[in-house]
Amino acid sequence: MSDAIVRGFVPQAKARPPRTPETHYLNVEYGVKSWLLTTDHKRIAILYLIAVTALFLLGGAAATMIRLNLMTPRGELLPADTYNKLFSAHGIIMVWFFLVPVVPTVLGNFILPMMVGARDLAFPKLNLISWYIFTIGGIITLWAILAGGVDTGWTFYTPFSTKAARTNVIPTIIGIFISGFSSILTGLNFIATLHRMRAPGMTWTRMPLFLWSSYATSVILLLATPVLAMALILVGVERAWGIGIFDPDLGGDPILFQHLFWFYSHPVVYVMVLPAMGIVSEIITCFSRKPIFGYIFVAWASVGIAVLGFLVWAHHMFVAGQSVYSAQVFSALSYLVAVPSAIKVFNWTATLYKGSISFETPMLFALGFIALFTMGGLTGLMLAALGVDMHVHDTYFIIAHFHFIMVGGTVMAYMAGLHYWWPKMTGRMYSDFLSKLSALIIFVGFILTFLPQFVLGYLGMPRRYHVYPPEFQILNVMSSAGASILAVGYLLPLIYLIWSLFAGKAAGPNPWGATGLEWQTPSPPPPHNFDETPVVTSGPYEYATEEITDVH
Amino acid sequence: MSTNRGLVAHHFEDIEQQRDVEAFGMWMFLATEILIFGAVFTAYTVYRLRYAADFEAASSKLNVLIGSINTIVLLTSSLTMVLAVHATRAGRPKMLMICLLLTIFFGLTFFGFKAVEYYEDYEEALVPGLRFDPGEWAERSPPANAGHVQLMLVFYYIMTGLHAVHMIVGIGLLTWLVYRARRGTLTPARYMAVEVVGLYWHFVDIVWIFLLPLLYLAGTHRASDLHF
Amino acid sequence: MNAIFADVPLFPERASTTAYQVDALFFFLCAVCGGMAVLVAALLLYFSFKYRRRGEDDRTPRITGNHRLEWFWTIAPLFVFVVMFVWGAKIYTSVSEPPPDAMEIFVIGKQWMWKFQYPGGERAIENLYVPVDQPIKLTLASEDVIHDFFVPAFRTKIDVIPGRYVQIWFRPTKVGEYHLFCSQYCGTNHSQMIGKVFVVERDDFRKYLDGRKATGSLADQGWQLFLKFQCNTCHSSNAEARAPVLEGLANNMVTLNNGKKVRADDGYLRESILNPEEKVVQGWQPIMPTYKGQANEEDIIKLLAYIKSLKPGQTPSRNENSSPPLDAPRVPPKEKIEPGDRKPPYQPEGQNGKP
Amino acid sequence: MSEQLTPTKTYYSVFAALVALTLLTVGVSFFELGNWHTTVGILIGVVKASLVALFFMHLLHSSKLSWLAALAGLFWLVILMGLTLSDYLTRQVLDF
């Protein structure tokens, strides 16, 4: 590796004591109206932050109820119907109203235009419209869930959702359908921005990796969401009309719904995890003060995941009665998509080599991400193996696997990104001790919650079970105990982050000594980000050069 | 940048960049639309291959004459739409107004024919769940499976219905253009609004180009099928 | 502490041949994936410790990559993946192809119970008894929504889909009592759509069946339905028959009127009862009415068992002994029809102790 | 998008071609083609759609980005259809 060493890292001179600029995007205007009619991507990001956090708390509350109910094998706490509605609510809220939007709309909206050196996204009004669409969709879905609920699970499998369910399926579907357009418009906005709004000199290979992964994410949002929208419409039509396309009585095939559904819902897993990977790439380089190892591989791995991610959907249907040949094709393709993920993990690890690693809060979360995501990804390999999937499909093994990816992966990385960019977004620093404590609590709570579920799953406990055989109780109690620790871990940041708004120290433009155009602006940034369009002359992670602050 | 002040939004460098972005944005939206319709087309293909005979039987009951006339009506509206774009860029406001109104007119003509067709479908008991006679299909020679016929008809309504929704949105957008044309804010320098709405309108036309063979032309027709 | 954890299972029992195959692959995957996880975790910890920041003046080398190394970890996993894929696919394929000597049991799922029908006509709900060391082929149908037949100890699972048959097979290896779960969410009482699979010795299995007191074998019951639905009006073996003879039809190839050939398997027979005009045999008119709504999944299973049992010369001809029209007050047809009319249609390979 | 205007004559000839192709596709449906009606109809439809896209939607003179978006939509449609059909076309074994 020594041949690649060019120059060494030379620390910068001590910065001036940080202070908050006088005019920034937060105080340039005041009043509710100035927020609700804003087209500033940074303010819209804050609007999303509020909406998404509220929904996360609701989804989390549902999860808490589920875990409480599963403390005892007879499920005394909740009636079966309520339990079913709760896990459906948990899935629907968390997938469509938290995990999918969270990183693109909050961190992406805030950081992406600044990272490319633009004054805003390509379509600022569309961006605001997206937020309204998202909010309206969210309100309709929440109304459906709170006024009677829906008990189909987040997967809406036919013919249960079309014929048997007696709950608010149609309003829920309408809510998800509407919010889907928010995803589409956000993706569209990002792609247009990345193609057309990059600052002079910001070539594709000089883009930070968060931008590459945002691009890949947007492609998925743009091309997968419409299929889900249509699949849901078909369910709605069949349910409302009493006659439809997945109806076995007419010769329709209920499995067809699963094809359409997973055509969206598998790639959407990468919508959740790709931006998370982007965040981690930013943070690992920053806190080890080294350029990313193998930039081109990591960048193209994002694109590879986005494309290959579309070719594997039917691995959710290995035991669902699809053809044996088709199952083999999808199993083989599923292994391909593991390759780019593996590349990323190896390259992050290699980036640490010979670095100068400091363990600030974002870095702790990012390291937690790598560990948990690796476990999630590796168990995914087990699921891609047809023989093993036959046993663990639809059990807690699956639950554990995708929570490792989505909670251990996406949420961990979101926390990392939030802590990383929080000083930029608010101009304030949060409590160092409490934030590190919460990183630790979340990691430990997570492991305790979901590791037992792998065992439960291999033992055969099916998912979505309200009651279960008594021998599974101890593992379930362990999991529930872990969940309560996890809950504390998630509530803690809520407290100290809000606290930091009032009592936090001024952060200064670049508290982490990071590269990247977003750190060239004051914190919080001015309304139009840059007074002068910045000119980029070097790659994204010039940590190992003499000058790290000067990008011109 | 200074020459185009007022034309260019604050976050763009120049008008070129802005136009490119606007066209690209609409094309991306159309890629999304391809997959919206693509999902239904995929479902349709699955059953079309599986129940070929029944789908052809059902298709032969649809009104091929109205379907064909509507195709030509839509193609004409596409022509007037593209002429509207041309008129804007050539700086001919009167021609622009005429073309926009003609486009709306052809769009409404399409709906007129479509309404007649839907009404006839109802009269002929071709509406599953509302008015449908399974016995009629079983007694045909050769008999068709009433279930599969209903499946085909459900596709017919969903596809044409979805297309109609897009037409309504399109007519709304055209009306907005008429409003802007009257206020004189569509000029050779600011023609992108017409171009972008045009892209959308043509796409809706393309969808119908495929609905015609998929729905109306699936089986062999006889001269007697040509009626209103 | 020990007392609490003494009863906690950490690994499911193995009670079928498939279970051993699946576990072998699972252990392999655990070893490979576990190895990788440990490697990554160890590197993370080691680097984090070794290269921790010692001061603000730390210098870091500029390492931007190493193409040879990167290509290595791009390509190398693929070889391991091929092994995983082939191994998994082999197990999966073997599970979808039942051996010819398998005993067939029909399973019907409905909200929220499992119903079983043995070849001898015995019926059961909730608890499935199977003899040890005997390949069992399950043919499964659903009456409402998608269910899933899952026996963890057998490591087998299959979604039961309305509108068609699915099949799965296993060979139980160990006498015992095992969980049966529905693992595809199917509504309110999804978690109570459970049962037990009892793997018993062959003798005990015979005793169990004797205790079920069937009113005739599955094929017998099918024969009654055959008469009740008056199938023999058309499907008769005499010259003026208006429909194909069903004797010896099952699992042979038939030519359809569009020239295609299909195998007359369970799925085809089921479809021919419910959607008769769909796949008409060459040389016949599509005149058969549908029996959708008249014959439920259980009836169809019985009819199938009967059709499969039909040997040449066994189709009941229409005579004065034929059953009364559909839904007329029923007299057990066995007493109305002379024993000479037909031979006993089905004997489950000498296992059935019934007279 | 700033290149010279397409002459209107082009639009009229494309329109004429589209109408002719429509008449052709409807006309063909009166012949006995067995199972080939949909295939022929789709093929003619592809020609018509290409004409509309290239001339009416100005794809011919559009930036690479517009091509990228249009082709991405089509490519993903092929994925959706192709892999879904890979299931349905290989199912006969247990299918009804």
Side-chain angles (χ1 to χ4, degrees), chain A residues 53-69:
Chain A
T53 307
L55 286 156
F56 176 71
L57 293 176
L58 278 171
T64 313
M65 295 298 281
I66 293 169
R67 284 300 347 152
L68 278 177
N69 181 76

Side-chain angles (χ1 to χ4, degrees), chain A residues 151 318 321 357 391 393 458, chain C residues 23 53 70 92 157 164 185:
Chain A
D151 73 339
F318 284 160
I357 304 167
H391 174 51
H393 183 80
Y458 205 78
Chain C
D23 282 352
R53 189 169 298 173
E70 286 160 49
Y92 184 76
K157 173 185 287 146
R164 66 192 246 211
Y185 177 67

Side-chain angles (χ1 to χ4, degrees), chain A residues 297-546:
Chain A
F297 273 73
V298 181
W300 280 98
S302 292
V303 180
I305 287 174
V307 176
L308 293 173
F310 274 97
L311 307 178
V312 301
W313 76 79
H315 67 211
H316 295 262
M317 300 159 58
F318 284 160
V319 298
Q322 69 172 330
S323 98
V324 178
Y325 310 101
S326 190
Q328 295 184 7
V329 170
F330 278 106
S331 167
L333 290 171
S334 299
Y335 281 108
L336 287 187
V337 79
V339 172
S341 306
I343 292 175
K344 293 204 174 211
V345 170
F346 291 138
N347 283 21
W348 291 323
T349 311
T351 303
L352 297 177
Y353 174 73
K354 290 197 171 171
S356 164
I357 304 167
S358 73
F359 299 96
E360 312 288 348
T361 314
M363 185 64 164
L364 292 183
F365 277 114
L367 290 172
F369 168 93
I370 299 180
L372 298 179
F373 172 76
T374 304
M375 283 187 72
L378 287 167
T379 47
L381 290 178
M382 300 181 174
L383 300 176
L386 285 159
V388 169
D389 184 74
M390 193 171 65
H391 174 51
V392 295
H393 183 80
D394 269 337
T395 65
Y396 265 78
F397 198 91
I398 302 284
I399 305 278
H401 158 72
F402 74 69
H403 279 90
F404 263 80
I405 299 281
M406 294 175 186
V407 183
T410 306
V411 180
M412 214 63 176
Y414 169 65
M415 295 301 272
L418 193 66
H419 284 84
Y420 183 56
W421 283 303
W422 185 261
K424 178 55 60 187
M425 295 166 83
T426 63
R428 306 282 184 163
M429 288 303 291
Y430 41 82
S431 156
D432 192 47
F433 170 73
L434 284 178
S435 57
K436 283 180 176 163
L437 182 67
S438 98
L440 188 71
I441 292 176
I442 290 176
F443 188 81
V444 172
F446 179 87
I447 294 276
L448 193 56
T449 310
F450 292 105
L451 214 53
Q453 294 188 2
F454 278 123
V455 183
L456 269 178
Y458 205 78
L459 281 171
M461 177 162 164
R463 67 193 287 196
R464 296 170 172 175
Y465 259 31
H466 164 245
V467 297
Y468 55 85
E471 66 261 33
F472 297 155
Q473 186 175 10
I474 288 190
L475 286 163
N476 269 303
V477 170
M478 281 167 71
S479 183
S480 296
S484 53
I485 296 176
L486 199 54
V488 173
Y490 284 134
L491 288 175
L492 201 54
L494 200 66
I495 296 164
Y496 65 74
L497 285 180
I498 292 176
W499 180 254
S500 79
L501 291 179
F502 304 100
K505 278 185 297 187
N510 192 358
W512 314 120
T515 61
L517 293 177
E518 79 268 27
W519 300 108
Q520 307 291 308
T521 63
S523 308
H528 292 325
N529 301 345
F530 302 98
D531 297 331
E532 248 178 86
T533 306
V535 178
V536 182
T537 55
S538 63
Y541 304 112
E542 297 298 300
Y543 287 103
T545 63
E546 281 80 4

Side-chain angles (χ1 to χ4, degrees), chain A residues 324, chain C residues 96 164-167 265 267, chain D residues 91-96:
Chain A
V324 178
Chain C
S96 59
R164 66 192 246 211
Y165 286 130
V166 293
Q167 282 183 342
D265 55 10
Chain D
R91 254 203 212 172
Q92 72 275 46
V93 186
L94 289 176
D95 199 31
F96 65 92

Side-chain angles (χ1 to χ4, degrees), chain A residues 89-110:
Chain A
H90 171 68
I92 289 166
I93 293 176
M94 286 303 201
V95 170
W96 281 299
F97 297 98
F98 180 72
L99 289 165
V100 170
V102 65
V103 182
T105 61
V106 179
L107 299 177
N109 250 335
F110 198 99

